Amino acid sequence: MFSSCYAPPQHIIIDSPDTDSTAQRLSRPYGVGYNLLVHADSLLLVEDRPMHWSGGVAESSDSIWIMKHNQLVIAAITTIPEDSVDSVWIKVARDQETMGWLHENDLLQATTPDDPISQFIHFFSDGHVLWFLIVMAVAAAFALVHILRRKRFRMIHLDDIPSIYPTLLVVTLTATAWLYALIQHSYPQMWVQFYYHPTLTPFSQPLLLCLFLCAVWALFLLTLVVIDDVMKMLPTGAAILYLLALLAVCMIAYLVISLTPLFLTAILTIAYIVFALYRYIVYARPRYLCGRCHQRLQQKGVCPYCGAIND
């Protein structure tokens, strides 16, 4: 299943070898035959092939408009050193009749790889999504404070349930956010390569990407386990409130790590992991087992599961 998610890298083919170098070919993770999807409102293509002249491309060249959600394929790549705007020109085609040329920068800004993983990365990295998460996190924090004042309910780090999985979920999310920030800021070329050739399998990946993908899979599995564990331990209403509070804590933890300068994120990540594990071990970890049903208990007394009295 993991192997089917891997897309082998495609090597770029430049149609002007006299102006291209080996380093330039290897530096681009996309090439001829690579599929793209337009996410901008429109994209302007020039029908005429760009020529090697001092004046650049003629303004009277026929043009074609490509609309949003159109699928494109890279047909050719050439370099025009005389072009002061962008020396790299790319020919793309929507179909056999609709094709044209445009600057490489314009193409990269208006398109995403035609792959669901790449499109999710593009959507999640959008600045509007980040601001939306900030607003949601602030609103969730105010709502939780308001609910706590009116009614007591179980919440991670404050009045946690005797399950390690919610704490592991938040800890794993914090570590994943730190790895995400580290790769983007310190190893951008690695992230660009992954963006254009995404995979869900951690095998045959660089160490940091391998750790990041393992953390993503761990988040997915922990989410399922947390929902199952919370629904078993709490009534439906209390379980929903607990999961909403957990979601708010996860959003706040991710935003803090994402918006903090990189040299501080490691310190914050370690500090939060130590705090989360300390709160669980000291206050939430079950210390007893019921003598009748053998369920985990935080303190002696009446068992909430079978009603037996444990002295």
Side-chain angles (χ1 to χ4, degrees):
M1 182 181 66
F2 286 167
S3 323
S4 63
C5 301
Y6 177 71
Q10 304 176 23
H11 300 287
I12 191 167
I13 300 175
I14 304 294
D15 65 344
S16 297
D18 56 326
T19 59
D20 181 55
S21 65
T22 303
Q24 287 177 328
R25 288 198 302 270
L26 296 178
S27 64
R28 297 190 184 96
Y30 49 87
V32 173
Y34 193 88
N35 296 312
L36 299 168
L37 185 68
V38 179
H39 66 78
D41 293 335
S42 59
L43 188 61
L44 179 64
L45 305 182
V46 177
E47 286 189 342
D48 297 339
R49 176 189 174 92
M51 306 298 292
H52 290 268
W53 56 18
S54 57
V57 179
E59 295 182 359
S60 59
S61 300
D62 293 333
S63 58
I64 304 172
W65 286 100
I66 301 297
M67 308 311 295
K68 190 173 184 178
H69 303 311
N70 283 169
Q71 292 180 322
L72 302 176
V73 61
I74 296 179
I77 303 176
T78 189
T79 55
I80 308 295
E82 298 86 355
D83 194 335
S84 59
V85 178
D86 186 359
S87 61
V88 180
W89 283 79
I90 299 181
K91 182 179 182 180
V92 295
R94 186 185 64 186
D95 48 52
Q96 293 291 339
E97 292 77 24
T98 308
M99 58 184 67
W101 296 83
L102 77 166
H103 286 122
E104 181 182 38
N105 289 334
D106 295 336
L107 177 67
L108 298 182
Q109 292 176 6
T111 60
T112 59
D114 191 11
D115 184 280
I117 302 177
S118 300
Q119 293 169 24
F120 175 80
I121 293 174
H122 173 78
F123 171 79
F124 197 74
S125 303
D126 190 0
H128 299 294
V129 176
L130 184 61
W131 283 107
F132 174 76
L133 289 178
I134 293 175
V135 172
M136 289 293 295
V138 173
F142 277 107
L144 290 175
V145 171
H146 179 69
I147 295 174
L148 281 173
R149 287 180 176 179
R150 300 182 58 184
K151 180 181 179 181
R152 178 179 175 272
F153 68 95
R154 309 300 290 270
M155 180 177 176
I156 188 172
H157 301 331
L158 297 181
D159 188 10
D160 208 351
I161 61 176
S163 173
I164 187 62
Y165 296 114
T167 301
L168 288 180
L169 177 64
V170 182
V171 166
T172 305
L173 176 68
T174 306
T176 305
W178 175 73
L179 285 172
Y180 180 68
L182 179 64
I183 295 173
Q184 280 199 319
H185 290 86
S186 301
Y187 304 93
Q189 191 62 33
M190 180 192 300
W191 184 252
V192 170
Q193 182 70 29
F194 177 76
Y195 175 68
Y196 282 94
H197 301 283
T199 174
L200 292 178
T201 172
F203 308 118
S204 303
Q205 299 298 317
L207 179 60
L208 282 179
L209 270 179
C210 177
L211 294 176
F212 175 75
L213 292 173
C214 289
V216 171
W217 277 109
L219 284 175
F220 173 73
L221 297 176
L222 283 172
T223 301
L224 299 179
V225 175
V226 165
I227 295 175
D228 180 68
D229 228 17
V230 171
M231 298 303 293
K232 288 180 179 178
M233 292 185 176
L234 298 176
T236 303
I240 293 175
L241 286 177
Y242 182 90
L243 292 175
L244 290 176
L246 180 61
L247 177 61
V249 172
C250 289
M251 286 194 300
I252 293 173
Y254 172 78
L255 290 174
V256 170
I257 297 299
S258 300
L259 300 177
T260 304
L262 185 61
F263 66 92
L264 291 178
T265 53
I267 300 175
L268 287 178
T269 301
I270 295 174
Y272 179 74
I273 290 175
V274 171
F275 165 77
L277 294 177
Y278 172 80
R279 290 290 302 184
Y280 173 77
I281 293 173
V282 174
Y283 297 102
R285 180 172 61 91
R287 297 174 175 83
Y288 308 100
L289 291 176
C290 176
R292 176 186 293 177
C293 64
H294 304 292
Q295 290 288 340
R296 297 171 293 179
L297 301 176
Q298 291 179 279
Q299 58 186 3
K300 296 180 181 179
V302 179
C303 175
Y305 301 100
C306 66
I309 298 178
N310 297 269
D311 295 329

